[in-house]
């Protein structure tokens, strides 16, 4: 039987500025460990610590620009574009432009604080 998810759960975000994470599907909101789907809204100038996650992450940018830094440089992902980050790759996400960004992230398996493997602070 289909499962209605009545709304997202707000998740605390890492980074230098407040960022909104609304998890629709995942470990916290729906109890799914195999997949997570979350909408992110990041302000301009936001940067999070680098990470080497144990999950694949598929991100679609809805508004603004998300910068994805990696060992070989960086990728600017703009509205109506997507980026795929494979598990085990080091990345750092940021929204350097003044208007920030809104995007949807899908993680396989689901995101968890234990498996994101953030750089030591």
């Amino acid at each position: 039987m289909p499962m209605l998810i009545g709304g997202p759960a707000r998740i605390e975000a890492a980074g230098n500025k407040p960022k909104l994470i609304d998890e629709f599907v995942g470990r916290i909101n729906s109890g799914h460990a195999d997949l997570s789907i979350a909408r992110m809204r990041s302000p301009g100038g936001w940067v999070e610590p680098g990470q080497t996650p144990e999950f694949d992450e598929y991100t679609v940018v809805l508004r603004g620009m998300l910068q994805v830094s990696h060992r070989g440089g960086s990728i600017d992902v703009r509205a109506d574009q997507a980026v795929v980050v494979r598990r085990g790759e080091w990345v750092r996400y940021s929204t350097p432009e003044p208007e920030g960004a809104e995007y949807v992230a899908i993680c396989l398996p689901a995101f968890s604080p234990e498996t994101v493997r953030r750089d030591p602070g």
Side-chain angles (χ1 to χ4, degrees), residues 41-106:
R41 286 170 282 179
S42 304
W46 168 82
V47 178
E48 76 175 354
Q51 61 191 33
T52 309
E54 296 174 15
F55 47 80
D56 293 334
E57 187 164 1
Y58 305 82
T59 304
V60 178
V61 176
L62 306 174
R63 179 186 57 78
M65 188 269 285
L66 176 67
Q67 189 168 75
V68 182
S69 299
H70 55 91
R71 298 252 183 247
S74 66
I75 301 169
D76 293 346
V77 188
R78 300 196 175 272
D80 297 325
Q81 294 182 323
V83 64
V84 177
V85 175
R86 297 286 178 207
R87 67 188 79 202
E89 289 184 284
W90 180 88
V91 292
R92 183 179 56 235
Y93 295 101
S94 63
T95 51
E97 294 185 342
E99 68 274 7
E102 180 176 359
Y103 49 101
V104 173
I106 300 166

Side-chain angles (χ1 to χ4, degrees), residues 104-116:
V104 173
I106 300 166
C107 299
L108 292 167
F111 173 90
S112 80
E114 297 76 36
T115 61
V116 71

Side-chain angles (χ1 to χ4, degrees), residues 9-14 19 21-38 40 46 48-58 87 91 93 105-118:
R10 181 65 46 91
I11 310 290
E12 184 176 338
K19 167 185 163 180
I21 301 176
D22 293 324
E23 180 186 275
F24 287 86
V25 176
R27 296 175 193 273
I28 293 171
N29 199 46
S30 65
H32 290 87
D34 54 336
L35 167 99
S36 61
I37 302 172
M40 319 283 196
W46 168 82
E48 76 175 354
Q51 61 191 33
T52 309
E54 296 174 15
F55 47 80
D56 293 334
E57 187 164 1
Y58 305 82
R87 67 188 79 202
V91 292
Y93 295 101
I106 300 166
C107 299
L108 292 167
F111 173 90
S112 80
E114 297 76 36
T115 61
V116 71
R117 296 178 42 212
R118 295 201 194 282

